[in-house]
Amino acid sequence: MEIDIVALAEPESQIDPKFQTMFKYTRITANAMREALITQKGWAHEELPCEKSISNILNRLGFCLRRVQKAKPLKKVSETDAIFDKLNEINKASDLCEDSLRISIDTKAKVDLCDSSRGGTSRCRKAVKADDHDMGLKDKLAPFGILNMMTGLFTVIFGVSFETSDFIVDCLEQWWDDNKSQYGHINQLVINLDNGPQNSSHRTQFMKRMIEFADKNNLEIVLAYYPPYHSKYNPVERCWGFLRTIGARRC
C-alpha cells in the first residue's frame, strides 16, 4: 500500500520553499488519498485503514500537509490545471515505457568564488576569517542539477559561465556522454523542467541546441514543462532542498 501512496502523493508534492525541513508538502489530503487508493489503485474500502492512519503513513513517508510560504503561487494562468494533467500523463507514460528515461533538471543561483562569510557559521575552535566586502568579484560558479527519475541519482555539474541556453545543453550532453553506455536501450528522453527564459520553448538557441543533441544521439527528446509559477513541483527542487538542509545541519 505504501508504494501506491507514494505514487499518488509524488505528483502532488513540493519541497519546502525555505529549505528548512526535509519534509515534502503535498496538496492531497488523507481523505483524498484514501479515495484515490480505491478509485485509481483498486483497493477495496474494507482493506484500507482509517483516514487518521493514512495521515500517519503519509507523515512517516515524508509527506506533510501544511501551509508553507509560497504554497500557493502568486500567479496562476488559466491553463495551469490542464498543463499539470498533461504533464502527469507524459510522466506516467515515460515511467511505464522500457525504452524511455525521465530526468528532472534545474539550475540554481550563481555562487561567487571568494572568501565571503555570507552570514554563515562554522563549528570550530577558531573562527574562520572571511572577506568583509564582495566588491569587484567576477568569477562565479553556476550549479546545474540532473535528477535521474529511474534510479534517483542526482548529479550536479558546475560551470564557470552564466546560466545560458548553451550552458544547459552542454551540461546535458556531458551527463549523457557519461551515462549513455548503461542506457543503450533508451530511445526517448523525457525532461522535466521549468519554463525559464533560458530554456523556454520560445528560446531559439535552446531549441536549436536540443535538436542538435537529439540528432547526434538518435534520441526523441520530450520537454515536459511545469506550469508558469509552479516550478517548485519539479522533482529536482527537492534535491536542492535536501542539500541545503544537510549543509545547515553540519554547521
Side-chain angles (χ1 to χ4, degrees):
M1 180 178 64
E2 290 188 356
I3 295 177
D4 289 338
I5 289 178
V6 171
L8 292 168
E10 279 288 350
E12 303 292 334
S13 62
Q14 66 168 98
I15 191 63
D16 174 11
K18 287 189 174 182
F19 303 123
Q20 293 178 338
T21 173
M22 293 172 62
F23 267 105
K24 288 172 282 189
Y25 298 102
T26 181
R27 299 187 296 175
I28 189 169
T29 65
N31 182 55
M33 174 61 71
R34 197 176 194 279
E35 292 298 322
L37 287 169
I38 296 173
T39 59
Q40 299 183 36
K41 297 299 182 179
W43 288 82
H45 176 78
E46 58 274 8
E47 293 177 322
L48 295 174
C50 66
E51 179 181 338
K52 180 63 176 178
S53 296
I54 290 181
S55 178
N56 291 334
I57 293 173
L58 282 167
N59 288 332
R60 187 174 72 245
L61 293 174
F63 296 98
C64 185
L65 183 64
R66 269 179 60 185
R67 290 186 179 274
V68 295
Q69 183 182 6
K70 293 176 64 177
K72 293 184 178 180
L74 296 179
K75 298 181 180 180
K76 180 178 179 179
V77 298
S78 59
E79 300 87 355
T80 293
D81 292 337
I83 294 174
F84 265 120
D85 290 341
K86 184 62 177 180
L87 181 67
N88 290 335
E89 178 184 328
I90 292 172
N91 289 345
K92 288 179 180 178
S94 174
D95 294 343
L96 293 174
C97 186
E98 293 184 354
D99 65 349
S100 179
L101 175 65
R102 182 162 65 97
I103 62 175
S104 173
I105 67 171
D106 185 39
T107 56
K108 278 303 170 186
K110 296 176 288 296
V111 180
D112 292 329
L113 287 177
C114 62
D115 293 326
S116 300
S117 66
R118 300 186 186 90
T121 58
S122 178
R123 192 181 300 279
C124 53
R125 292 181 179 273
K126 186 177 180 181
V128 177
K129 294 183 179 180
D131 295 336
D132 60 350
H133 288 86
D134 296 344
M135 298 174 61
L137 297 172
K138 295 182 179 180
D139 294 332
K140 298 177 182 293
L141 283 180
F144 179 81
I146 303 174
L147 174 61
N148 186 327
M149 300 303 295
M150 179 182 294
T151 64
L153 181 64
F154 181 49
T155 303
V156 180
I157 301 174
F158 290 94
V160 295
S161 71
F162 291 94
E163 179 191 351
T164 64
S165 300
D166 289 322
F167 169 67
I168 293 172
V169 182
D170 285 344
C171 290
L172 279 172
E173 288 184 334
Q174 179 180 332
W175 176 83
W176 181 251
D177 288 341
D178 292 341
N179 292 274
K180 64 182 179 181
S181 60
Q182 53 186 311
Y183 294 119
H185 63 291
I186 295 299
N187 296 315
Q188 181 190 69
L189 187 64
V190 175
I191 305 177
N192 291 156
L193 68 171
D194 59 42
N195 214 338
Q198 307 305 332
N199 59 352
S200 168
S201 58
H202 298 292
R203 176 70 64 152
T204 55
Q205 179 63 13
F206 177 70
M207 298 306 296
K208 172 180 177 294
R209 288 293 310 277
M210 289 301 298
I211 292 172
E212 292 173 350
F213 172 52
D215 291 342
K216 175 183 176 182
N217 295 283
N218 195 27
L219 287 171
E220 176 190 354
I221 304 293
V222 179
L223 299 177
Y225 288 98
Y226 278 81
Y229 316 111
H230 289 74
S231 60
K232 58 181 172 292
Y233 290 99
N234 194 357
V236 73
E237 292 287 349
R238 301 164 196 164
C239 298
W240 298 121
F242 178 80
L243 292 177
R244 182 74 63 88
T245 303
I246 293 299
R249 288 184 176 183
R250 288 181 176 176
C251 291

